[in-house]
Amino acid sequence: MFTGKCIGITRKIIWTCLLLIGCSLIAAHSVAQVPGVSDTAVKIGSCSALDGPARQLGLQTVLGATAYFDYVNDRGGINGRKITLSSFDDGYDPERAASCFGLLKRENVFASGFFVGTPTAMKYVPLAEADHLPIVGLFTGAQFLYEPVKHDVINLRASYNDETREQVDNLWKAGAHRIAVIYQDDGFGKAILDGVKLALTKHNATTVATGSFARNTLDVGQAIEAVGAAKPDAVILASPYAPAAEIVKHAHGQSWHPLFLAVSFIGTEAFVTAAGKEAEGVVITQVVPTYDDTGLPAVKLYRECLAKYMSGTQPSFVSFEAFVNAMVIAEGLKRAGKNPTRDKFIEGIESLNNFDIGLGSQALLEFSVHHHKGLGHVYTTVVRGGKPEVFSEWETVLARK
């Protein structure tokens, strides 16, 4: 009878072990079936402008993301997995988007992020939706990214409509009512132009002049001529850093000095380097706080990570934004659990509602199922002494013109 009891107990133990082994095999198999996820790593992919006239935007984006992932990996990764980032070049060229996206699929990435530009994003978004490949963090604020909400597309930054509204409203209060736009003739430039026009409708006004130039060129002379003839008080530049620098240098060389403004996509530090002393006084809106505000936990960590992992690299608004995007991805992975899926990852980010990621109380993340734009706050800077500084004295700046 004692032997029978032992046999019964032994059978129970065996069946319990088999059940546990079976569950472990099922869990391991389920992880293996999730693209880009292994027992030790999770793959993130990126297509960005790593070469060509806008390359500094892509290089800074990848740098910021890598700095944070290195920090996470030094601490054991997320749920025991290191985060790897595979970055590919699309040259800020929408014609290369499909082939670059193909590289992400071939790389079998779990999710993607750190894309640069509106015209390329217009190609990537439908591809990602069709493949159910999450995109988290695009260096563009085009409205189509936010409306309607797309399940697989999540963006951190305030929109271009937010930035242009901030610019136009403050210009109007300061008495600058003659506003013109010089824009890159593509989806990005037209998104800024539309944002400016929308903001001006609040004041029963429209642009006094517009001028355009082709993407990936520095041929801006005709645009300057078209806008300069209208004698605007202020000119909003919808341009990356290289053509924007050419515009201000060309204009000042002709003794034309309106107040120039730009949105965050310009790449502030690259613009200042390219424009030199002619960058002085240009107003640039940003979508993250200044990287000099080390009282903010995210800024402090960013500066520490740059010093440790990217020695000799100077801070920039572009790399800081990418750093924060990487923080969002890591938090989403953490909330997706030990057996992450793409849907769990999206749900994890959507749960970051009223979430303090270290940018201060005015910049809490506001993600939800119905809201895939994390931040809405806009910060204003002006170039002074070759550096961007936070400012709010619009009347003072205009008085100098």
Side-chain angles (χ1 to χ4, degrees):
M1 189 170 179
F2 178 75
T3 303
K5 284 183 177 179
C6 287
I7 292 170
I9 292 171
T10 301
R11 284 175 176 169
K12 286 182 180 178
I13 292 172
I14 291 171
W15 279 110
T16 301
C17 289
L18 288 172
L19 181 63
L20 290 172
I21 291 170
C23 288
S24 297
L25 289 172
I26 290 170
H29 179 71
S30 66
V31 168
Q33 294 302 302
V34 177
V37 179
S38 69
D39 290 338
T40 58
V42 56
K43 291 183 181 180
I44 307 297
S46 172
C47 285
S48 199
L50 304 181
D51 200 3
R55 63 185 175 276
Q56 285 302 319
L57 301 180
L59 293 172
Q60 285 293 307
T61 295
V62 172
L63 183 149
T66 302
Y68 185 70
F69 289 155
D70 284 351
Y71 167 81
V72 169
N73 291 341
D74 266 1
R75 283 151 185 77
I78 302 294
N79 295 320
R81 296 184 181 92
K82 301 292 180 73
I83 303 175
T84 65
L85 177 61
S86 298
S87 302
F88 301 98
D89 176 39
D90 66 14
Y92 188 42
D93 182 354
E95 297 303 315
R96 295 170 58 182
S99 60
C100 199
F101 189 81
L103 293 175
L104 298 184
K105 292 182 67 175
R106 217 169 306 155
E107 197 69 14
N108 201 34
V109 300
F110 173 75
S112 62
F114 316 111
F115 293 69
V116 170
T118 303
T120 49
M122 293 172 75
K123 299 288 186 179
Y124 288 123
V125 166
L127 292 171
E129 289 186 291
D131 203 55
H132 300 294
L133 173 65
I135 295 181
V136 182
L138 303 97
F139 190 60
T140 166
Q143 204 64 23
F144 77 89
L145 295 173
Y146 312 106
E147 297 176 348
V149 172
K150 299 164 182 63
H151 177 264
D152 299 302
V153 180
I154 291 178
N155 220 20
L156 174 75
R157 61 184 2 252
S159 70
Y160 289 148
N161 281 5
D162 294 326
E163 291 193 68
T164 51
R165 181 174 59 248
E166 181 77 8
Q167 294 177 354
V168 168
D169 285 353
N170 280 293
L171 285 170
W172 206 266
K173 288 177 188 175
H177 298 171
R178 296 182 58 77
I179 300 171
V181 179
I182 296 179
Y183 66 97
Q184 184 168 276
D185 191 10
D186 62 5
F188 159 60
K190 289 171 183 174
I192 303 301
L193 179 61
D194 289 346
V196 172
K197 287 181 175 180
L198 180 64
L200 282 168
T201 60
K202 172 183 172 182
H203 306 286
N204 297 314
T206 189
T207 55
V208 296
T210 62
S212 66
F213 59 92
R215 183 182 61 252
N216 283 345
T217 73
L218 300 180
D219 187 9
V220 297
Q222 287 187 345
I224 293 172
E225 186 177 341
V227 169
K231 300 187 182 336
D233 301 317
V235 179
I236 296 173
L237 305 177
S239 168
Y241 61 92
E246 194 67 18
I247 290 168
V248 296
K249 288 192 291 186
H250 193 131
H252 293 169
Q254 297 178 343
S255 299
W256 182 45
H257 292 271
L259 176 63
F260 284 110
L261 305 94
V263 297
S264 54
F265 185 80
I266 193 174
T268 302
E269 293 73 22
F271 165 71
V272 172
T273 298
K277 61 185 178 60
E278 304 306 331
E280 194 75 7
V282 175
V283 172
I284 305 171
T285 46
Q286 314 289 352
V287 295
V288 288
T290 174
Y291 44 75
D292 289 330
D293 189 358
T294 52
L296 297 175
V299 173
K300 183 174 183 293
L301 180 60
Y302 163 70
R303 298 297 292 258
E304 290 171 352
C305 287
L306 278 192
K308 182 174 182 179
Y309 303 111
M310 305 292 169
S311 180
T313 300
Q314 295 301 309
S316 74
F317 283 100
V318 176
S319 67
F320 180 43
E321 180 181 339
F323 185 89
V324 179
N325 267 315
M327 295 175 76
V328 171
I329 286 176
E331 188 63 31
L333 286 170
K334 179 180 176 183
R335 295 182 179 217
K338 293 183 178 179
N339 298 307
T341 65
R342 287 171 169 175
D343 281 339
K344 286 181 182 178
F345 173 61
I346 295 291
E347 289 169 8
I349 295 176
E350 288 174 340
S351 71
L352 299 175
N353 190 271
N354 205 36
F355 181 80
D356 185 357
I357 203 164
L359 298 176
S361 58
Q362 65 181 355
L364 301 178
L365 296 184
E366 299 293 346
F367 290 117
S368 74
V369 174
H370 305 293
H371 191 77
H372 279 192
K373 181 174 79 169
L375 299 173
H377 194 74
V378 176
Y379 308 81
T380 307
T381 61
V382 64
V383 180
R384 285 179 178 152
K387 291 181 60 179
E389 295 182 359
V390 175
F391 98 118
S392 59
E393 309 87 16
W394 290 83
E395 293 87 350
T396 302
V397 172
L398 284 167
R400 294 175 183 171
K401 295 298 173 185

